[in-house]
Amino acid sequence: MRVELMTAEEHDRMTAYSQGITHYVGRLFADLGLQPDYLDDMSQEERAAALDTAFDNLWWMVLIELAKNDADGARVSISELESKAGTANLADHMRIPIEYGDRARNATDRPFATVFAKRAYIDAINQRDGEHRLGATAAIIEAPLRAETLNLDASTKRGDTPPEATTDTTVVAVIDNGIAVGHDLFRRRDNQSGALIRSRVDFFWNMDAPKDTSAAVPSSMGRVWTREDIEKLLDCYTSNGLLDEAKFYDALGLIDWRRGLYSACAQRVSHGTHVAGLAAGYRADEDTGETRRIIAVQLPTTVLPDTGGSQLKTPLEQALLFIATSLDQYKCPATEPGTTKTPPLAINFSFGNFAGPHDGTGFFERLIDHEMSKMNQHCDGAALMHLPSGNGNLARCHAQIALNCATPKQTLDWHIQPEDRSSSSVQAWLPKEAVLNGSLKLTVGAPGSVNSGSVSAEQNAADLLLTGGGFTLGHLSFRPPKPPTDRGCFVLNVVPTAHPANVGPVAPAGAWTLTQQESLQQILSHLLLRLSIGPADQETADALIQCVKEAVKTINDNLAFTLEELLAKIEAV
């Protein structure tokens, strides 16, 4: 026990400070509307059952790969997908977003579709007869949806007025996060008052915003704001020529600390505003700005931390669909009297994606190709999409190796940074050429006390947990080849190297090693292939055998058994 000597005045001053902080925190919690957790008074078994029920009722954003019909090879349409769910008594566990219009719902060439699904529907897809019964080849679970943003019963009827357009109109669409649509670069002056209360943003979809069933443009999640909506807010929160940005962006749902989400628009700078300004920003007095209209889509904040892009798939697909639908609302005068046309479109999507095969067969490439080709088919003007390049330090994030008889094993160092509160992931993609079953393996070595481990390239999926100190710190797996990429892939995921509460488990920082090596079976295949080219003279054969000897010695350094007997048979040949 420690006794502090102080005067009564000092004691009262310290007590006042403590009480002041207590009252401030208490009032802050009251303003946030925090309530006691109903799980607090439950036993462990009751809590587990309650959480399980909660997961059953949770809606997830799911990417469905649509199956092909056996008769004609055409894809199952979204309408058929919905019908099959009803036939399987799963209609209450799956919903189709209203962003799909009749044209998209009935298309038979769409490879993917986004649905909102509960666990019962996801489990049904994973059953052996899921593809035949439900029309879904695979389901990729993206992210859970917050109840306040989800509008499952949204109407498809629009109540907005088509935006004004001229023969010089060009539309710039921005897909990002933290798009400050009230920035001066996106506004025009009012003809009468001279205030910056006219907006060039015709449509703004905030996927993070709470739903509003009275919105002029309905949406399945979040809220869509039209130019008229934005201008009403600009007029409401502008006083003496200055915009009260805090209230304006709070009204748009871009700043809301009660949701516990990071609010980029609350900062002095934001990525979405920066790229939108570069793509579509004009000073209020520039004449060109009058004909440069804007469509903006705010991606969900929850998908941003994943640099691999695994949770961007469905939001991007929905964003492109929304842009295509919004573009149809523009009616520019055409050369023929009394006819209209859609204006040219330029889309900016400044998000990098480190994951995937990066050979044109990955999801993002196929998604963008499909959606942009559809836009160009149905738009009178050209539709282009701008993607980022050069700002991802790719030289430090990509490597390429080749294994052969001379070098059957190669090791790469993978440096994981200290004090990193995000998980780390690396992928090793194999070539399209057939890789024999079990002929290649990846071995992971880690600093510290984490156990090393290997996974082989097999016809079936394989995985391994990496542990240290009694905790699981990593997961190594192999994904077999499948269309359309037709390339196998090793995937290593590692937990963060730091925790905000300074507790474990955390992974050791430093140089991890990734060793790819071919097995004896693959080495022999190389040898036989080389000899089959023949005829080979004695010198060539000796060189080949020596190559195999060295490769076998390398393998023996990593295996618990020897291969002398097999080597003797090779030499006898």
Side-chain angles (χ1 to χ4, degrees):
M1 178 183 234
R2 180 178 177 181
V3 178
E4 293 284 348
L5 298 177
M6 64 183 68
T7 65
E9 184 177 310
E10 291 173 332
H11 173 269
D12 291 345
R13 183 181 296 109
M14 292 182 65
T15 302
Y17 284 145
S18 300
Q19 290 179 346
I21 293 174
T22 302
H23 282 288
Y24 173 76
V25 173
R27 290 185 177 185
L28 178 63
F29 285 167
D31 290 341
L32 292 175
L34 299 180
Q35 300 294 330
D37 196 325
Y38 71 97
L39 298 176
D40 291 342
D41 299 327
M42 293 184 177
S43 65
Q44 183 174 354
E45 292 76 13
E46 292 173 331
R47 189 179 296 115
L51 290 174
D52 196 52
T53 302
F55 276 114
D56 285 341
N57 295 323
L58 193 63
W59 287 96
W60 297 79
M61 186 179 284
V62 180
L63 182 71
I64 298 294
E65 183 174 357
L66 299 171
K68 292 184 177 181
N69 292 314
D70 296 332
D72 54 6
R75 297 275 184 179
V76 170
S77 69
I78 296 177
S79 295
E80 289 180 283
L81 187 76
E82 186 176 37
S83 176
K84 288 178 178 290
T87 303
N89 296 321
L90 292 169
D92 293 336
H93 301 275
M94 188 272 276
R95 297 291 180 88
I96 303 295
I98 65 167
E99 282 67 32
Y100 291 109
D102 292 338
R103 188 171 62 200
R105 290 175 66 92
N106 297 319
T108 57
D109 61 346
R110 177 176 290 274
F112 301 101
T114 296
V115 303
F116 302 144
K118 291 184 178 181
R119 187 158 73 174
Y121 182 78
I122 298 171
D123 289 344
I125 289 179
N126 288 325
Q127 298 299 317
R128 187 179 299 272
D129 62 344
E131 179 175 353
H132 174 74
R133 190 162 65 104
L134 298 174
T137 302
I140 303 174
I141 303 174
E142 294 289 328
L145 296 165
R146 293 182 293 112
E148 65 268 24
T149 68
L150 192 58
N151 188 10
L152 296 175
D153 299 318
S155 169
T156 58
K157 185 178 180 180
R158 300 175 67 106
D160 59 321
T161 303
E164 299 175 359
T166 67
T167 54
D168 296 326
T169 296
T170 297
V171 177
V172 178
V174 180
I175 305 172
D176 217 292
N177 182 269
I179 308 174
V181 294
H183 194 280
D184 291 3
L185 291 175
F186 314 133
R187 287 189 278 166
R188 305 286 292 175
R189 296 192 183 278
D190 181 66
N191 295 330
Q192 296 180 352
S193 66
L196 292 175
I197 57 175
R198 291 176 53 214
S199 177
R200 292 193 296 114
V201 180
D202 290 320
F203 301 100
F204 173 50
W205 186 11
N206 183 2
M207 294 184 177
D208 271 337
K211 64 183 178 184
D212 185 349
T213 56
S214 64
V217 179
S219 59
S220 298
M221 60 181 293
R223 204 252 207 214
V224 176
W225 302 83
T226 64
R227 178 174 55 84
E228 290 81 2
D229 296 329
I230 296 173
E231 289 180 345
K232 287 179 181 179
L233 294 178
L234 288 173
D235 187 39
C236 178
Y237 296 116
T238 298
S239 178
N240 296 323
L242 296 176
L243 176 66
D244 188 333
E245 295 189 358
K247 292 182 178 180
F248 175 76
Y249 291 122
D250 178 69
L252 288 173
L254 288 172
I255 298 178
D256 189 348
W257 301 112
R258 292 168 296 183
R259 297 202 309 266
L261 297 176
Y262 171 77
S263 297
C265 285
Q267 314 302 317
R268 293 182 61 87
V269 294
S270 67
H271 182 268
T273 307
H274 173 68
V275 297
L278 292 175
Y282 289 91
R283 293 191 303 270
D285 55 354
E286 285 190 71
D287 293 337
T288 307
E290 190 67 41
T291 58
R292 300 298 182 261
R293 314 307 300 176
I294 300 173
I295 300 173
V297 180
Q298 161 97 357
L299 295 174
T301 303
T302 53
V303 308
L304 301 182
D306 181 11
T307 58
S310 63
Q311 295 190 26
L312 274 175
K313 299 182 181 69
T314 49
L316 175 60
E317 194 258 358
Q318 289 291 286
L320 291 174
L321 196 65
F322 172 76
I323 291 170
T325 304
S326 300
L327 188 67
D328 287 340
Q329 304 302 310
Y330 292 87
K331 304 299 179 184
C332 300
T335 47
E336 293 291 332
T339 61
T340 60
K341 64 177 182 179
T342 53
L345 170 70
I347 303 175
N348 189 89
F349 181 62
S350 292
F351 275 77
N353 173 33
F354 288 92
H358 290 187
D359 60 0
T361 63
F363 170 81
F364 285 103
E365 297 96 321
R366 290 186 290 135
L367 169 64
I368 292 172
D369 284 345
H370 177 82
E371 296 298 337
M372 295 308 297
S373 65
K374 287 295 183 183
M375 286 189 201
N376 279 290
Q377 287 177 16
H378 300 287
C379 295
D380 300 298
L384 303 174
M385 188 167 185
H386 302 270
L387 299 171
S389 175
N391 60 350
N393 296 317
L394 297 186
R396 297 177 59 188
C397 297
H398 285 67
Q400 186 172 351
I401 61 174
L403 302 181
N404 48 48
C405 276
T407 55
K409 178 176 75 171
Q410 291 201 42
T411 299
L412 294 173
D413 286 338
W414 182 37
H415 293 275
I416 298 183
Q417 301 301 317
E419 297 301 317
D420 186 354
R421 295 182 181 180
S422 61
S423 58
S424 300
S425 178
V426 65
Q427 296 179 345
W429 288 86
L430 305 185
K432 277 196 172 183
E433 292 78 11
V435 177
L436 297 177
N437 196 31
S439 62
L440 186 70
K441 71 175 180 178
L442 179 68
T443 302
V444 175
S449 59
V450 180
N451 68 302
S452 61
S454 301
V455 166
S456 296
E458 305 283 351
Q459 294 296 325
N460 299 314
D463 65 335
L464 174 74
L465 295 179
L466 303 175
T467 61
F471 296 103
T472 298
L473 302 179
H475 178 249
L476 175 63
S477 63
F478 176 74
R479 301 173 184 170
K482 67 175 185 177
T485 301
D486 294 323
R487 295 171 62 184
C489 179
F490 291 101
V491 181
L492 173 60
N493 296 306
V494 177
V495 302
T497 59
H499 191 282
N502 199 27
V503 297
V506 294
W512 291 56
T513 58
L514 307 175
T515 302
Q516 279 194 328
Q517 75 179 66
E518 295 180 315
S519 68
L520 181 63
Q521 181 185 21
Q522 189 75 354
I523 295 171
L524 293 179
S525 298
H526 281 299
L527 175 63
L528 294 175
L529 179 62
R530 180 66 184 274
L531 289 175
S532 67
I533 299 175
D537 54 26
Q538 186 62 42
E539 183 179 355
T540 302
D542 290 344
L544 289 173
I545 292 176
Q546 181 61 31
C547 173
V548 175
K549 286 182 178 179
E550 293 176 359
V552 171
K553 181 179 183 302
T554 303
I555 292 177
N556 281 335
D557 292 338
N558 296 279
L559 298 182
F561 59 90
T562 61
L563 303 169
E564 288 83 354
E565 183 177 354
L566 291 177
L567 184 59
K569 293 181 180 180
I570 295 173
E571 291 181 343
V573 173

